[in-house]
Amino acid sequence: MGQIGGVDHGEPTQLSGPSAPRDLAGRHCHASWTADGPVMPMPMPDAPITRPAKPGPGLIGIGAQKCASSWVHAALGGHPAIGVSSPKEIDFFSYYFDRGRAWYEAHFAQLSAFELRAEVSPSYFHDPRSPSRLADWDPEIRVVAVLRDPVERAYSNHLHEVIKGHVRPCTFEDGLANNPAYLEQGRYAEHLARWYAALPREQILVLIAEDIAAAPDAAAARLYRFCGVDPALRPLVLSERRNESDRARLPILRSVLRAQGTALRRLGLESTLIRIKRLPGVAGMLRANSIDLRGEIPPMRAETRARLTELFAPQMAPLAQLIGRDALPWASFRAALAQAAE
């Protein structure tokens, strides 16, 4: 047997056990020693190697905008196995990609205890850079898209921009002339094709907003199955009505109430929050502070609806084929079929 510091430079000495050295990762090693020092330490075969979980989400809602993305966010956040980001829309893969992955992943640092982490950013759906960026970040990511009749979506988009103060209150036609995004975001077949090119089909779930409205429980079960969590759960939040055209009479009151609601959600008290909102006094205050913008913005003109229906018609057949449906519950889809049959 060799000696360390002695005159015998023959066979190496093997050291192991508690006094054995460690490699750079901190693992115990079988180390061979000669008078010249250690020789090629190798990890012990029985030492477990643990790898940290990938930071960030495992599922992302990508929109489209004004297509029940708030329902998706609420459904995800209402399930006890799923942790959702705050804020809801991080927009990393679209608008804030230059802030770096560490900035993005920090939004999920407090959600490590959840079985699945998620975020919902509707800007991803129509942003041409987002599919490849997201696939590069995590090739196994799952995404959820929600679509609605693109004609109705365009009008809702206008109401949203007025509520946010991005445009002054005006007719939909004036808003349409000012903002080409109303139509661009409704080119579903084009946008969705990029996502199918970037990710495997089994990692993409496409829901239809009108189906969610007609059967929310069935939609929630389908969403949860896709997430890999208990599909039988029905959070109370799924029964809440969401007014897409609502703005606050007193914005400061709404801001304070929403901040309190967010605090309760972070404590896991979503059900308690919903019960509080259903109390007669609280419900009355919420109604009194709500103004339906549809009473201020005229409905879409008939000739505008006809023009948009014709504009979106070429998208309908490719979209149905992409998502594997024979029909879609949209007036614009039925009009496109009738036009093709002429």
Side-chain angles (χ1 to χ4, degrees):
M1 179 157 310
Q3 299 178 11
I4 302 175
V7 297
D8 184 1
H9 293 182
E11 295 296 322
T13 299
Q14 298 289 332
L15 299 179
S16 61
S19 61
R22 298 173 181 264
D23 65 6
L24 293 177
R27 298 170 295 197
H28 285 293
C29 299
H30 291 301
S32 299
W33 291 79
T34 69
D36 299 320
V39 179
M40 296 296 292
M42 298 296 290
M44 296 177 66
D46 57 346
I49 301 175
T50 58
R51 295 180 175 85
K54 182 177 177 63
L59 180 135
I60 294 181
I62 61 172
Q65 189 184 48
K66 307 313 300 175
C67 293
S69 62
S70 294
W71 181 91
V72 172
H73 184 265
L76 294 173
H79 199 292
I82 304 174
V84 294
S85 66
S86 180
K88 168 196 164 191
E89 301 178 21
I90 303 177
D91 295 322
F92 172 65
F93 296 101
S94 52
Y95 304 148
Y96 303 119
F97 198 63
D98 59 339
R99 297 189 179 184
R101 295 183 176 188
W103 175 85
Y104 177 62
E105 292 164 357
H107 288 84
F108 305 91
Q110 304 301 317
L111 303 176
S112 59
F114 290 94
E115 182 179 339
L116 177 69
R117 290 168 287 183
E119 70 125 328
V120 179
S121 292
S123 63
Y124 296 162
F125 179 75
H126 64 271
D127 186 284
R129 305 160 297 180
S130 293
S132 59
R133 286 174 171 177
L134 188 53
D136 179 64
W137 178 76
D138 183 2
E140 297 180 354
I141 192 72
R142 286 169 286 176
V143 301
V144 178
V146 186
L147 311 177
R148 68 185 288 194
D149 189 318
V151 177
E152 303 301 333
R153 196 218 67 82
Y155 181 75
S156 180
N157 197 161
H158 176 60
L159 298 181
H160 175 77
E161 296 302 317
V162 173
I163 291 170
K164 291 294 185 180
H166 298 163
V167 299
R168 62 176 178 80
C170 62
T171 66
F172 172 61
E173 286 71 22
D174 287 345
L176 190 61
N178 175 64
N179 194 338
Y182 293 0
L183 302 183
E184 174 60 32
Q185 293 188 37
R187 302 183 189 278
Y188 298 152
E190 296 175 19
H191 301 316
L192 199 56
R194 286 194 294 267
W195 285 98
Y196 281 120
L199 293 169
R201 178 170 290 271
E202 61 270 17
Q203 291 172 216
I204 300 174
L205 173 66
V206 179
L207 299 174
I208 303 300
E210 289 82 358
D211 291 343
I212 294 173
D217 284 354
R222 188 179 177 197
L223 175 62
Y224 292 152
R225 280 194 297 270
F226 180 72
C227 292
V229 298
D230 182 6
L233 195 73
R234 293 296 177 272
L236 286 176
V237 69
L238 296 182
S239 63
E240 280 200 302
R241 180 176 178 269
R242 302 185 183 280
N243 190 344
E244 66 178 20
S245 58
D246 158 80
R247 68 176 176 86
R249 192 181 304 275
L250 296 174
I252 186 63
L253 174 60
R254 173 165 292 181
S255 296
V256 169
L257 293 175
R258 284 185 171 174
Q260 293 173 344
T262 298
L264 289 175
R265 289 188 182 95
R266 288 177 176 172
L267 293 172
L269 300 175
E270 180 81 47
S271 297
T272 301
L273 172 62
I274 293 172
R275 292 187 180 97
I276 291 173
K277 291 168 69 174
R278 290 177 178 177
L279 293 174
V282 177
M285 178 179 62
L286 294 174
R287 285 194 301 271
N289 196 42
S290 173
I291 299 175
D292 188 350
L293 200 62
R294 292 177 185 268
E296 300 179 3
I297 304 297
M300 185 187 315
R301 298 171 188 162
E303 59 269 25
T304 304
R305 181 177 298 276
R307 180 169 67 86
L308 297 192
T309 298
E310 184 176 0
L311 185 147
F312 288 124
Q315 297 280 317
M316 295 301 169
L319 174 63
Q321 185 176 9
L322 269 176
I323 64 178
R325 291 187 59 144
D326 294 328
L328 293 165
W330 302 339
S332 59
F333 181 85
R334 294 188 292 272
L337 288 184
Q339 179 181 331
E342 292 177 355

